[in-house]
Amino acid sequence: MRKKNALAVALVATAALTLSACGGDKTDSGSKPVTDVSADMNDKAATVLDRPFKKPDLVLTDTHGKKYDLRERTKGKPTLIYFGYTNCPDVCPLTMSNIAIASKKLPQADRDKLQVVFVTTDPERDTPEALGKWLKGAGDPTFTGLTGDFPTIQAGARQMGIGIDPPKKEKDGSVVSMHGAQVIAFSPKTDAGYVLYSEDTTAEDYTKDLPKLIKGQNP
């Protein structure tokens, strides 16, 4: 069941960035408010932003090992952007799976328009090859996977109000990447990120909203 309590809405409204370890949550105490949002207490999954985000100025490497200019390649196209990592045991694969399930229900013409971009927060391990293989299983082979150097990725995430920390090795030897779990939808009309989805968003939520997002409408 989606968490829709007043505290959750208040946190979004002040854009207090929450970092997810894909299994545990941690508040980024160093984050500053970056935007205001229009959020009500209904059961909508989408949060429409009062001040949309500008699309990140990111040039990274895709799963084919080629340069990918995010702004240039997604200009004028409905785009969903998510930051995560392939070794995440739960939140990241579930998010990609939910979007994939919903996108497969779209007419082919709309599927061709929709751009889903997964940017790794663990670039040392997430090579182009690893990203490509993971997306085939966790999401959809048509999704775009991007990797590069961590400072560039972190700076791009911050442009969208999303906090990510450098991957950290735990005592048990596992590596955890703390990252904001928001999906940001960018309008094909303005190229601005105007809708935010949390990690609680379901496949049914995306199925309902994608047709509107593709047209640049508010869900």
Side-chain angles (χ1 to χ4, degrees):
M1 180 180 295
R2 187 181 310 118
K3 300 171 184 176
K4 283 291 182 179
N5 56 43
L7 177 59
V9 174
L11 286 175
V12 172
T14 57
L17 306 181
T18 298
L19 302 186
S20 171
C22 292
D25 290 334
K26 171 185 174 183
T27 300
D28 178 8
S29 60
S31 300
K32 296 181 180 180
V34 291
T35 190
D36 295 321
V37 301
S38 296
D40 53 33
M41 296 303 292
N42 62 24
D43 198 41
K44 285 187 176 181
T47 298
V48 179
L49 303 176
D50 285 341
R51 290 186 291 165
F53 291 111
K54 188 175 182 180
K55 191 171 291 181
D57 185 12
L58 271 176
V59 179
L60 297 170
T61 302
D62 65 17
T63 54
H64 302 290
K66 296 182 179 180
K67 184 177 76 171
Y68 188 98
D69 186 319
L70 181 65
R71 286 184 179 174
E72 179 182 317
R73 296 288 290 275
T74 63
K75 184 177 181 180
K77 299 177 182 179
T79 303
L80 302 181
I81 300 179
Y82 180 76
F83 290 79
Y85 67 117
T86 66
N87 284 280
C88 171
D90 41 39
V91 177
C92 299
L94 179 60
T95 298
M96 289 296 99
S97 176
N98 286 340
I99 295 173
I101 290 170
S103 68
K104 287 181 172 67
K105 296 181 180 180
L106 292 168
Q108 188 59 50
D110 285 344
R111 288 192 68 188
D112 292 341
K113 295 175 184 176
L114 181 65
Q115 306 295 303
V116 180
V117 180
F118 179 90
V119 184
T120 182
T121 59
D122 184 14
E124 185 173 335
R125 291 187 296 171
D126 286 345
T127 63
E129 182 180 4
L131 276 173
K133 182 178 180 180
W134 183 82
L135 283 172
K136 289 179 182 179
D140 189 299
T142 65
F143 290 176
T144 298
L146 299 178
T147 188
D149 65 89
F150 184 83
T152 298
I153 292 171
Q154 185 179 52
R158 283 175 176 167
Q159 291 177 49
M160 294 168 53
I162 296 175
I164 62 175
D165 284 346
K168 179 182 178 182
K169 181 173 287 189
E170 300 294 302
K171 293 181 179 179
D172 62 2
S174 63
V175 178
V176 175
S177 176
M178 303 293 290
H179 62 89
Q182 305 96 325
V183 173
I184 308 293
F186 287 79
S187 169
K189 296 179 179 180
T190 64
D191 279 324
Y194 71 118
V195 180
L196 177 149
Y197 292 93
S198 75
E199 64 186 75
D200 296 316
T201 306
T202 66
E204 290 75 18
D205 293 327
Y206 285 117
T207 298
K208 181 180 178 180
D209 289 1
L210 282 182
K212 293 182 179 180
L213 297 177
I214 287 170
K215 296 177 183 178
Q217 300 173 348
N218 287 350

